[in-house]
Structures are given as C-alpha cells and as structure tokens.
Amino acid sequence: MEYIKRGTSAFKNTNLALFAGGFSTFAILWGTQPLLPEIAREFDVSPAISSLSQSSTTIALAISLLIAGSLSDVYGRKSVMTFSLLASSILAICTGFATGFHTLVAGRILQGITLAGLPAVAMAYLGEEIEAKSLGMAMGLYISGNSIGGMSGRIISGVLTDYFSWHFALMGVGIISLLSSIIFMTLLPTSKHFKPQTFKLKSLAGSLFSQFKVPGLTFLFTIGFLLMGGFVSLYNYIGFELIAPPYSLSQTVVGFIFIVYIVGTFSSTWMGMLADQYGKKRILPLSLVIMLAGVVTTLHPNLLIKIIGISVFTYGFFAGHSIASSWVGRLAVHDKAQASALYLSAYYAGSSIGGTVSGSFYHQWNWPGVVWMIVLLSLISIGISMRLGRRKLPGTI
C-alpha cells in the first residue's frame, strides 16, 4: 500500500482534517488562559492559583497521553481521535456552567483526560501514513492548526468574556470545537498502515520504558519539557502585565495579543520544510535561539516592541516544537504512538510545572522574573539540541 504523497487529494484531506482536529483540541485546551485575570478576580485567588484552571488541564493531559497513545495501538488511530474530539467539545460546553473555582478545575481536569486522544495519536498517524519526504510539511501544517486553534480559542474567549461572561466564552469555544470535530470525522482517511495490537499492561509498561533507550529520544523529550515550560509561562502572565498600569489594556485587547500565533502557523510549516532540506540538527538550535531573542525583547517597556518580542518568541517556539516532534517520529523504532505520547507528556508536564512555578517568579519579581526564568530554560534547550545534533541518528543530516 502506498503512502500519502504531497499534492494528492488524500494529502489535502489529511492535512485539512488534522488542521480542524488540532484547532478544536487547542482552542479548548487554551481557552481559559487569557481569562486568568478574570478568574482570579471573580474567585478572589492569586495569579498562581488562578493558573490551576489551566495547569490542571495540561497535567491531566500529560498523564492521559501515555494511555491514549497505547489505546490507539489497540483500537485504531482515527477512532480514538474522533472520540477525543467529540467528548472534549461536549465537556467544554458543560464547563461553561461552572459556578465555583473547584468545579471549574474539576471540569478542566476531565477535559485534559479526553483531550489526550488527538495529540497522542496525530503524530503517529502522520508518521505511518505520510511518505518520509512529505512528513516535515505535513507535521508543520498539523501544528499550524494547533497554533491557530490556540490563538482563536484565546481571542474568542477574551472577546466573549468582555461582552458577556467567561461562562459564555467557554461554551462558545465548545460549540465551535464541536463543528470542527465533525469536519475531522468527515475528511480524515482511514489508516492503511496501522496494525492493531493486543492490550497487555505488562508489555505496555516495558515498551514505554524501552523508548528511553532509543538514542536521542530522551533529549527530545527534555527539549519538549523545557520549550513548553517557557512558552506557557510567557502567555500565562503576559495578560497580568498588560492589564495592569501603565498599559491598562482591556480583556478584549489582551485576547487579541494572541493573534501573534499567526507567526507560529507560518514558522511551523516553513521551518519544518527547512529542516527537511537542511537538516534538523541545524534548524532546531536556530529556532531555539530565535525564541530566546524574542523573550529578552519583551523586557522593553514600549508596548509595540514588547509585542514584536512576543511574536519573535512565538515564531521560534512553534518552529522548535514542529522540528522536535517530527524528529521523534523518525527516531522511534517501535510503537511510534507511544514515543509521540511520551514526547507530548513531557511537553505538557513542562506546561503545568513551568506555568505554575513561573507564577511565583511573577509574584516575586514581576515580568522580569518570568523572562529570566524562560531565558534559563531556553539556554538549556539550546545546549541539549546542539549535543543532540552531534550524534549520528536516523533522520539527522
């Protein structure tokens, strides 16, 4: 059976379906992030505590990813992704009815569990179904759907909160995600290279641990952890910075700050193609340096320069994530869904830990504290990526 090639209708349908699925997943996942100042105000909690409405979802997602990837090895890629999207959209609508902080967090934890299906399986699906020379572009397009979903979820929830309430905002994101899920179900081709396996807990655990023995994968898992820890730290607390004086921006305007995600849509695809052409070991460190330069620029007090810094940071982040995640698919020698799930589990664990810990940095040192924490994470990532590039690994040129 042939693999899906660039330029074919199957390639277009696959990319559009996964774009819609990524949009739905990440609109739900990040829909509460711009609402953290509003949640902190309504429930009278600190910025760090309010971030639990976001980090509780990502830590539940990080854990569930390990199970979802393995379930897809048994029940199939498309079926697990479809269930994930539909269940998450319905839960998102229900979460809008939460009347207490604990109820909100509980609902967000459930969403983290159900959201795991698509991100745990999508990269494995692409790795199995797309031809190798088209994989970088396909992965970039999928991640661009993630970036647009994350951007749109944040903007939509910010605007709806200003005009109605954060309850209405979460319900609105859920309804839009449900429509995207239907597009996914309709367009995604059925797997042709998937071979179902029998679920055995003992062999599953052994297989998971064996992934850490594959040369290079542990480095990529660590990079994912550090990348996302820095990324979420910036976006969790930039809202607090911009709503306060001297900027005093409204919730709607702060929500529209996330439109800089558009550069992530471009960079994930463009830098993915450059990595296919010039090698991941060259383009990955470059992406991380761009990310570092961007976060340092946000220290400038001028609002326009600060936004430019956020844009540059976002460009580098999505480029780095696109390259690192596609590299996982190339290095994994067995159970690719498990390898992808481990990468994303580390990635979202970084989100939960970094996003909450950086709240203490913000409380102690305001915005510069968050920036210098991200600088440290970025420098460590650059060092690891350069060490990874010196190794002779599959998919490395």
Side-chain angles (χ1 to χ4, degrees), residues 265-331:
T265 303
F266 171 76
S267 71
S268 59
T269 304
W270 176 251
M271 299 294 275
M273 293 173 65
L274 289 180
D276 287 342
Q277 184 176 357
Y278 297 107
K280 297 175 177 64
K281 70 178 183 180
R282 296 181 180 90
I283 306 301
L284 179 56
L286 174 61
S287 302
L288 302 178
V289 169
I290 293 172
M291 182 176 168
L292 174 61
V295 72
V296 172
T297 304
T298 67
L299 288 171
H300 199 284
N302 181 274
L303 180 60
L304 178 59
I305 294 176
K306 193 180 290 285
I307 292 173
I308 290 173
I310 295 171
S311 302
V312 173
F313 173 85
T314 303
Y315 182 100
F317 167 79
F318 277 104
H321 173 43
S322 174
I323 295 165
S325 57
S326 65
W327 207 346
V328 169
R330 297 295 294 164
L331 292 183

Side-chain angles (χ1 to χ4, degrees), residues 61-77 80-81 84 112-121 199 204 337-338 341:
L61 175 61
I63 297 170
S64 302
L65 282 166
L66 301 176
I67 302 171
S70 300
L71 288 176
S72 78
D73 288 334
V74 178
Y75 298 107
R77 310 300 190 208
V80 170
M81 289 190 285
S84 169
I113 295 171
T114 58
L115 282 169
L118 186 116
V121 179
F199 184 82
L204 168 62
Q338 283 186 351

Side-chain angles (χ1 to χ4, degrees), residues 70 73-75 194-201 203-204 335:
S70 300
D73 288 334
V74 178
Y75 298 107
F194 168 74
K195 295 180 180 179
Q197 304 175 23
T198 303
F199 184 82
K200 295 180 180 179
L201 184 60
S203 61
L204 168 62
D335 299 311

Side-chain angles (χ1 to χ4, degrees), residues 32-54:
T32 59
Q33 195 173 43
L35 309 183
L36 295 184
E38 181 69 15
I39 291 171
R41 183 197 62 77
E42 179 165 333
F43 296 113
D44 193 25
V45 295
S46 69
I49 295 299
S50 72
S51 74
L52 291 175
S53 62
Q54 184 62 59

Side-chain angles (χ1 to χ4, degrees), residues 328-397:
V328 169
R330 297 295 294 164
L331 292 183
V333 295
H334 64 86
D335 299 311
K336 290 181 181 292
Q338 283 186 351
S340 297
L342 281 168
Y343 170 80
L344 289 172
S345 182
Y347 179 81
Y348 288 111
S351 164
S352 299
I353 296 171
T356 300
V357 170
S358 55
S360 299
F361 280 76
Y362 184 77
H363 177 74
Q364 188 70 31
W365 296 291
N366 297 315
W367 184 245
V370 176
V371 170
W372 294 120
M373 175 182 161
I374 298 172
V375 166
L376 177 62
L377 298 180
S378 300
L379 289 172
I380 296 172
S381 299
I382 292 168
I384 294 173
S385 69
M386 293 177 68
R387 185 176 176 185
L388 180 63
R390 288 194 294 267
R391 293 193 169 196
K392 294 182 178 180
L393 300 169
T396 305
I397 57 174

Side-chain angles (χ1 to χ4, degrees), residues 49-165:
I49 295 299
S50 72
S51 74
L52 291 175
S53 62
Q54 184 62 59
S55 60
S56 64
T57 312
T58 52
I59 195 63
L61 175 61
I63 297 170
S64 302
L65 282 166
L66 301 176
I67 302 171
S70 300
L71 288 176
S72 78
D73 288 334
V74 178
Y75 298 107
R77 310 300 190 208
K78 184 174 180 178
S79 59
V80 170
M81 289 190 285
T82 299
F83 173 81
S84 169
L85 292 172
L86 292 176
S88 300
S89 299
I90 293 169
L91 279 171
I93 296 171
C94 295
T95 304
F97 292 96
T99 55
F101 184 70
H102 291 92
T103 304
L104 173 63
V105 172
R108 293 288 291 168
I109 290 173
L110 290 176
Q111 286 179 42
I113 295 171
T114 58
L115 282 169
L118 186 116
V121 179
M123 291 192 293
Y125 175 92
L126 289 172
E128 290 171 348
E129 305 300 325
I130 304 295
E131 66 171 355
K133 64 181 181 181
S134 301
L135 182 59
M137 180 181 181
M139 190 71 71
L141 288 169
Y142 160 63
I143 291 176
S144 71
N146 300 352
S147 68
I148 289 182
M151 175 190 73
S152 301
R154 290 166 166 102
I155 292 175
I156 292 169
S157 61
V159 173
L160 291 179
T161 296
D162 246 0
Y163 285 94
F164 300 98
S165 69

